[in-house]
Amino acid sequence: MGETIQAPGLRIACGRLDAGTLAANFADAHPPLSDSQARIEADRCYYCYDAPCIEACPTGIDIPSFIAKIADGNLRGSAETILSANIFGGACARVCPTEILCEQACVRTAQESKPVTIGLLQRHATDFLMHRGLHPFARAPETGRHVAVVGAGPAGLSCAHRLAMLGHRVTVYEARPKAGGLNEYGVAAYKLAGDFAQDELDFILRIGGITILHDRRLGRDVTLASLRATHDAVFLGLGHQAVRVLSLSPEPLAGVMDAVGFIEGLRQTAKSGVAVGARVVVVGGGNTAIDAAMQAKRLGASEVTIAYRRGAEHMSATGFEQDWARRSGIRIRTWCAPKALLGEGGSVSAILFEDGGDGPLVEPADMVLLAVGQLFDATPLQEGLAPAIAQGRIVVDAHGLTSLPMVYAGGDCTPGTDLTVSAVQDGKVAALSIHAALTGSV
Amino acid sequence: MADLRCTIGGIRSPNPFWLASAPPTDKEYNVRRALEAGWGGVVWKTLGEDPPVVNVSSRYGAVSYNGQRMAGLNNIELITDRPLATNLAEIKRVKRDFPDRAMVVSLMVPCVEASWKAILPLVEQTGCDGIELNFGCPHGMSERNMGAAVGQVPDYVEMVTRWCKQNTRMPVIVKLTPNITNILMPARAALAGGADAVSLINTVQSVTGVDLDAMTPLPAVDGQGTHGGYCGPAVKPIALRMLGDIARDPVMRGLPISGMGGVSGWRDAAEFIAMGASGVQVCTAAMHHGFRIVTEMIDGLSHWMDGKGHASLESFRGLANRNYVQWGELNINFKTIAKIDPSLCIGCGKCYIACEDTSHQSIAKLPGRVYEVIDAECVGCNLCAHVCPVDDCITMVPQAATGPKLTWGEHPNNPHRSAAETVS
Ligand SMILES: Cc1cc2nc3c(=O)[nH]c(=O)nc-3n(C[C@H](O)[C@H](O)[C@H](O)COP(=O)(O)OP(=O)(O)OC[C@H]3O[C@@H](n4cnc5c(N)ncnc54)[C@H](O)[C@@H]3O)c2cc1C
Ligand SMILES: Cc1cc2nc3c(=O)[nH]c(=O)nc-3n(C[C@H](O)[C@H](O)[C@H](O)COP(=O)(O)O)c2cc1C
Ligand code: SF4
Ligand code: SF4
Ligand code: SF4
């Protein structure tokens, strides 16, 4: 354990670990395959007919085809196969929960509980192309059409890239100073190690025809009505901009944060400058809870506990992620719903549960991270004519069309699974629909 | 414990695994290590006349298949490149120290009787157990009218064999080249010349690949390539067929055969013996794994023999050869049908697409990736069973006989069917 530079009275601190340990802790969690490992792994693929893995990939990547190309030594062709279905093939190779997607469906899972490591192979092929600074696609001739994309997350950028490829001009309105959405601000640092999100962004923009306007927020700097007036179509890829609040103490206590904010902070700061408690309790049962706990541990917290109000089987975090957390020394307490936070001198000191589940009723804590859900925030759309919202999300049809003509939406702000890969698919589908609508081709 | 002793053309060895004439048997150092490791015998790397040949640099090419290294090996080496006297002295020392092992000396000299007359007594003086005539080397030496250049002309095979039999009392094994249309011709010639045994196959003429950057055939020597000889697991089917043809030939009945070409483990050896060989020779497997691989071969063969109740090699030798017939003797009335075990099926669809695209459209694709054989359509070709990646998932089920055995010779569709048959 490194030096604790602890201000008096403050139990959360920066620099609990030395720089080398921090760097190692936040390096690539799943290192890339070497060429020979990739060839051996690629040879494990049976090149299935009507391959179940393709069906299980939300973007429908032709997995047997890209793997056969790796086995054949055609890495460039392999990367093109991947990226033609999913321009975020590089990020998805790193962040997809493959254990519930393609790799779960892989016939080798049924055969020997050991799927072809599709994600790692996908990374091998896309890295090959991206490391060489190559962009595999060219734009179709300019159509003269102009589309507004709101939100530069995976959904928005996937939509923008496909539209640009088809010859349309795209302007992306992004509220934040950096593009990338949760790839830049949310996903665990050790999944997208280094500056991968920005490298991939550069790679995607190399198609041309896309302009990103930063610090341009819908609802503040532009309105949906103005965008509709000045563009041929609008795509909304707003993501979740709000978190569910859990009010556990009458007055604000230092050391209590929402987990998404905690992660955002650590994604944007040198790790030595991120404060973390010695005893951290994360409230929640999803992948955000796991990510927050894992990163708190990697910052040097000595005890990290995930407290979930129901059983392990009810957690939305995948079994793989739960196991990984346990193996990383994180305690997962189930059946303990938080009741109140206890404070001491304005800082949190413990969390009290309604029912202890498999532990004591009071868990001492100097940091409590709340990961009880992210929500879509419809406020930016509230001015003027707004698309229909149901159950807290923008209503879309199978083509991504909202209730408003030529206004499309996708990603976390629409119904469906909240995964990077699903957002990419939504953006792609919407782009194809917009293209069809703009060119009259169906 | 099964008795693995073997005798070929009067040459005895404690087990049927000999190292073939090649780099593993090139000199005393290797051969001692081999015999210490347990090989039953060796065929010393082919000797020739002095001055010795000169080899080139870059000598082997190999074919890897799906990650499996050296599925096939190709070489452009010649015979020994060391002086005759050196080899002879070493052979003598090794044989003295390993009297129970088979020591056979491979020979290749020009196709004139004087050359053979000169070398045979020198070889005999080493105390070796026999000689093998290398009529098989398919590259280099054949350009000098030796090796395969002799082996491809039955008259020469007979002539040289006879010279040897007349000029030595040592058993003579004639090693055959597979680079010939009908293997029976040189084999019968060897028999006519008095050979005590034949050995086969030598390597198959081949080019392993092409370097697409340098545009050279492989293996490359200073920007050029030449054909070489192919061996290893890839050639085993070729060897089995040629071996089987000789073993079932009525003219050659009883002529001992030393089988080789792709023997990589005990099972291959058992197959060669079941096809009619008396023993086997191995080169590539030793070059791939080192000499200790023979311990796995010996162990595997004896366990298998014990399990089957075969007390000696003779108790199963040639058993499969009895069932090795001409196509025209096969029973056209026999029918076998593929059966998919749904509890083992992993839904990869490979059987379906193989049958659908390239065979008889006999597999139905049902909802939920369920695949089912359409019995009435299946011709029993086995393709699906071969492509299925799950062991025993697709089995071929012989169907109850619907009539007596019917061969093509008797089939109504055969315009030349034997007159004895009644027209239906
Ligand atoms: C902590 C965390 C970890 C995650 N880990 C994984 C993982 O490992 N694997 C996985 O597959 N998924 C993961 N996810 C989910 C995944 O990140 C999302 O599903 C995905 O990013 C959704 O993409 P999106 O484009 O819809 O939204 P976002 O990525 O949220 O992007 C939305 C963009 O819109 C911008 N924006 C929002 N409002 C406005 C506005 N009014 N005006 C202009 N711009 C605006 C935002 O600034 C942002 O750039 C994780 C999510 C979180 C929170
Ligand atoms: C590098 C190399 C050199 C060989 N040299 C000879 C030789 O000098 N004389 C000979 O009769 N056969 C030679 N052979 C052929 C082998 O003896 C043997 O017939 C052939 O390799 C098939 O056996 P395998 O499949 O076990 O390798 C050579 C083979 C190799 C690989
Ligand atoms: S299911 Fe598995 S084995 Fe089949 S094509 Fe997909 S990755 Fe390959
Ligand atoms: S045995 Fe041949 S014909 Fe029969 S189902 Fe299999 S592939 Fe088709
Ligand atoms: S090849 Fe075998 S495992 Fe694959 S679908 Fe056919 S029967 Fe099933």
Side-chain angles (χ1 to χ4, degrees):
Chain A
M1 179 84 34
E3 290 281 297
T4 307
I5 348 168
Q6 214 168 314
L10 255 189
R11 276 167 297 195
I12 63 172
C14 303
R16 289 182 182 273
L17 301 175
D18 61 73
T21 311
L22 279 175
N25 283 354
F26 285 92
D28 238 328
H30 305 289
L33 298 175
S34 67
D35 282 345
S36 62
Q37 286 172 322
R39 241 176 299 118
I40 291 169
E41 190 57 25
D43 279 334
R44 292 184 65 232
C45 171
Y46 293 135
Y47 196 69
C48 295
Y49 168 76
D50 184 20
C53 54
I54 303 181
E55 193 177 76
C57 170
T59 54
I61 295 174
D62 189 340
I63 293 166
S65 175
F66 96 69
I67 295 179
K69 289 180 176 109
I70 294 177
D72 257 1
N74 174 11
L75 288 178
R76 188 182 171 132
S78 177
E80 284 181 20
T81 299
I82 296 162
L83 296 163
S84 64
N86 178 340
I87 195 64
F88 278 90
C92 287
R94 292 162 168 81
V95 310
C96 272
T98 51
E99 65 280 6
I100 56 166
L101 300 170
C102 53
E103 291 179 15
Q104 171 170 282
C106 174
V107 298
R108 277 204 183 258
T109 301
Q111 185 180 19
E112 54 182 7
S113 306
K114 218 174 153 272
V116 174
T117 57
I118 301 168
L120 284 170
L121 287 171
Q122 179 169 319
R123 171 166 178 183
H124 187 72
T126 49
D127 276 359
F128 171 87
L129 203 77
M130 290 172 69
H131 288 167
R132 281 163 185 73
L134 299 169
H135 188 92
F137 307 113
R139 285 190 77 194
E142 280 277 356
T143 60
R145 303 302 191 125
H146 186 193
V147 181
V149 166
V150 187
L157 290 172
S158 159
C159 182
H161 181 271
R162 184 57 59 130
L163 286 168
M165 213 171 125
L166 294 167
H168 309 294
R169 191 155 66 84
V170 184
T171 301
V172 183
Y173 298 83
E174 168 55 53
R176 293 171 178 265
K178 281 189 188 170
L182 289 171
N183 281 0
E184 177 59 39
Y185 293 100
V187 171
Y190 46 79
K191 287 188 187 170
L192 293 175
D195 212 7
F196 184 80
Q198 294 306 306
D199 294 345
E200 188 174 49
L201 176 71
D202 294 344
F203 162 79
I204 290 172
L205 294 181
R206 216 165 285 149
I207 185 80
I210 303 174
T211 309
I212 300 186
L213 302 177
H214 297 277
D215 296 309
R216 208 67 75 84
R217 179 184 292 276
L218 179 71
R220 183 188 70 194
D221 308 313
V222 282
T223 62
L224 182 55
S226 66
L227 290 178
R228 292 181 75 195
T230 48
H231 298 77
D232 296 298
V234 178
F235 176 79
L236 302 171
L238 301 169
H240 293 148
Q241 296 310 319
V243 286
R244 195 169 280 132
V245 239
L246 191 62
S247 196
L248 294 170
S249 85
E251 81 263 23
L253 289 172
V256 182
M257 286 179 86
D258 91 77
V260 176
F262 168 70
I263 294 169
E264 181 176 329
L266 76 88
R267 283 296 309 268
Q268 297 304 314
T269 321
K271 304 296 171 282
S272 56
V274 183
V276 73
R279 305 188 68 160
V280 179
V281 174
V282 182
V283 178
N287 285 327
T288 303
I290 302 264
D291 284 4
M294 295 273 277
Q295 291 175 106
K297 186 85 192 170
R298 283 163 191 244
L299 283 170
S302 43
E303 262 181 60
V304 180
T305 305
I306 292 175
Y308 181 55
R309 67 195 157 93
R310 297 202 290 157
E313 65 281 14
H314 301 107
M315 291 176 74
S316 66
T318 65
F320 173 85
E321 296 262 345
Q322 293 183 41
D323 288 346
W324 190 15
R326 285 197 192 89
R327 273 184 280 116
S328 309
I330 288 159
R331 193 154 61 105
I332 300 183
R333 285 187 60 177
T334 50
W335 298 109
C336 52
K339 192 173 177 185
L341 295 175
L342 309 179
E344 223 180 80
S347 297
V348 67
S349 61
I351 178 164
L352 176 68
F353 298 109
E354 265 168 30
D355 179 348
D358 49 7
L361 279 179
V362 175
E363 181 84 44
D366 43 27
M367 186 176 214
V368 173
L369 298 172
L370 301 172
V372 291
Q374 289 92 253
L375 303 166
F376 166 61
D377 172 16
T379 340
L381 297 168
Q382 268 157 11
E383 184 186 327
L385 201 52
I389 310 275
Q391 277 143 0
R393 310 248 184 155
I394 303 174
V395 179
V396 285
D397 67 10
H399 310 284
L401 182 65
T402 66
S403 61
L404 300 177
M406 294 314 284
V407 177
Y408 294 77
D412 284 357
C413 64
T414 56
T417 340
D418 295 337
L419 291 176
T420 306
V421 65
S422 315
V424 173
Q425 175 68 358
D426 287 355
K428 179 180 83 184
V429 167
L432 294 171
S433 315
I434 292 170
H435 175 70
L438 291 180
T439 58
S441 65
V442 182
Chain B
M1 181 65 179
D3 179 359
L4 295 189
R5 279 177 303 173
C6 118
T7 307
I8 300 177
I11 304 169
R12 294 168 196 287
S13 64
N15 66 56
F17 300 102
W18 295 4
L19 279 170
S21 172
T25 62
D26 186 38
K27 54 184 170 317
E28 180 173 358
Y29 178 79
N30 310 44
V31 173
R32 276 189 189 277
R33 288 173 65 85
L35 298 178
E36 278 156 13
W39 290 88
V42 299
V43 182
W44 200 275
K45 172 77 179 171
T46 307
L47 309 185
E49 287 183 338
D50 283 337
V53 302
V54 179
N55 273 305
V56 290
S57 180
S58 179
R59 301 179 185 183
Y60 306 145
V63 171
S64 297
Y65 190 75
N66 261 9
Q68 175 59 57
R69 299 279 171 172
M70 302 229 300
L73 175 69
N74 158 299
N75 84 88
I76 55 170
E77 268 181 9
L78 305 179
I79 61 175
T80 183
D81 50 15
R82 305 184 317 139
L84 181 61
T86 311
N87 277 305
L88 293 173
E90 292 182 2
I91 292 168
K92 186 170 186 172
R93 280 199 297 273
V94 178
K95 179 63 202 179
R96 188 194 59 208
D97 292 348
F98 293 90
D100 68 322
R101 310 301 171 88
M103 172 64 77
V104 177
V105 177
S106 171
L107 296 177
M108 182 198 291
V109 292
C111 213
V112 288
E113 192 174 7
S115 292
W116 291 93
K117 266 186 163 165
I119 201 168
L120 288 169
L122 302 176
V123 174
E124 212 169 286
Q125 279 163 23
T126 63
C128 70
D129 300 296
I131 57 172
E132 184 181 77
L133 310 186
N134 179 349
F135 292 159
C137 183
H139 49 269
M141 300 313 290
S142 52
E143 292 171 18
R144 305 176 198 177
N145 296 319
M146 290 185 266
V150 176
Q152 286 166 336
V153 183
D155 289 347
Y156 292 173
V157 172
E158 182 178 341
M159 179 177 74
V160 177
T161 309
R162 182 165 295 121
W163 289 341
C164 291
K165 282 307 288 180
Q166 284 166 350
N167 288 294
T168 178
R169 51 174 177 72
M170 293 183 289
V172 175
I173 303 173
V174 174
K175 184 167 179 180
L176 303 173
T177 174
N179 301 300
I180 189 160
T181 312
N182 184 351
I183 194 70
L184 295 179
M185 297 304 154
R188 284 177 185 160
L191 179 67
D196 297 280
V198 289
S199 58
L200 76 163
I201 57 174
N202 208 312
T203 54
V204 183
Q205 285 180 336
S206 60
V207 170
T208 31
V210 171
D211 177 332
L212 288 176
D213 296 318
M215 283 296 167
T216 51
L218 294 170
V221 178
D222 193 22
Q224 295 176 307
T226 187
H227 80 256
Y230 201 44
C231 53
V235 308
K236 177 185 141 189
I238 298 170
L240 272 180
R241 175 249 152 180
M242 292 188 159
L243 167 69
D245 281 4
I246 294 174
R248 76 176 174 198
D249 186 53
V251 180
M252 282 178 283
R253 183 133 300 151
L255 179 68
I257 304 172
S258 173
M260 85 195 91
V263 174
S264 311
W266 69 267
R267 188 182 294 275
D268 299 322
E271 291 176 19
F272 275 63
I273 294 168
M275 240 355 203
S278 294
V280 295
Q281 298 185 32
V282 176
C283 169
T284 305
M287 291 179 75
H288 197 170
H289 305 295
F291 292 141
R292 82 190 156 106
I293 193 71
V294 74
T295 57
E296 324 307 340
M297 295 180 175
I298 291 171
D299 190 63
L301 184 61
S302 50
H303 276 116
W304 174 77
M305 286 171 63
D306 289 346
K308 288 281 179 188
H310 296 306
S312 69
L313 301 179
E314 281 308 308
S315 84
F316 71 98
R317 193 171 68 80
L319 290 188
N321 194 269
R322 292 184 202 161
N323 297 319
Y324 179 53
V325 298
Q326 301 288 351
W327 195 95
E329 294 169 58
L330 298 173
N331 180 10
I332 291 175
N333 268 347
F334 172 78
K335 194 161 164 72
T336 180
I337 286 182
K339 187 171 175 3
I340 297 174
D341 180 345
S343 71
L344 292 176
C345 175
I346 56 173
C348 72
K350 296 211 68 97
C351 57
Y352 169 80
I353 201 62
C355 191
E356 191 68 13
D357 280 357
T358 70
S359 200
H360 292 80
Q361 298 76 45
S362 317
I363 296 180
K365 180 175 191 291
L366 308 178
R369 293 197 177 80
V370 172
Y371 296 97
E372 235 174 56
V373 175
I374 307 165
D375 288 0
E377 299 293 330
C378 174
V379 302
C381 72
N382 302 356
L383 178 64
C384 55
H386 291 312
V387 300
C388 177
V390 183
D391 289 341
D392 305 324
C393 176
I394 301 188
T395 42
M396 300 304 300
V397 184
Q399 304 297 295
T402 51
K405 177 170 177 173
L406 178 72
T407 66
W408 175 239
E410 305 149 354
H411 199 278
N413 284 16
N414 179 359
H416 310 291
R417 74 180 176 283
S418 41
E421 286 306 307
T422 48
V423 182
S424 53

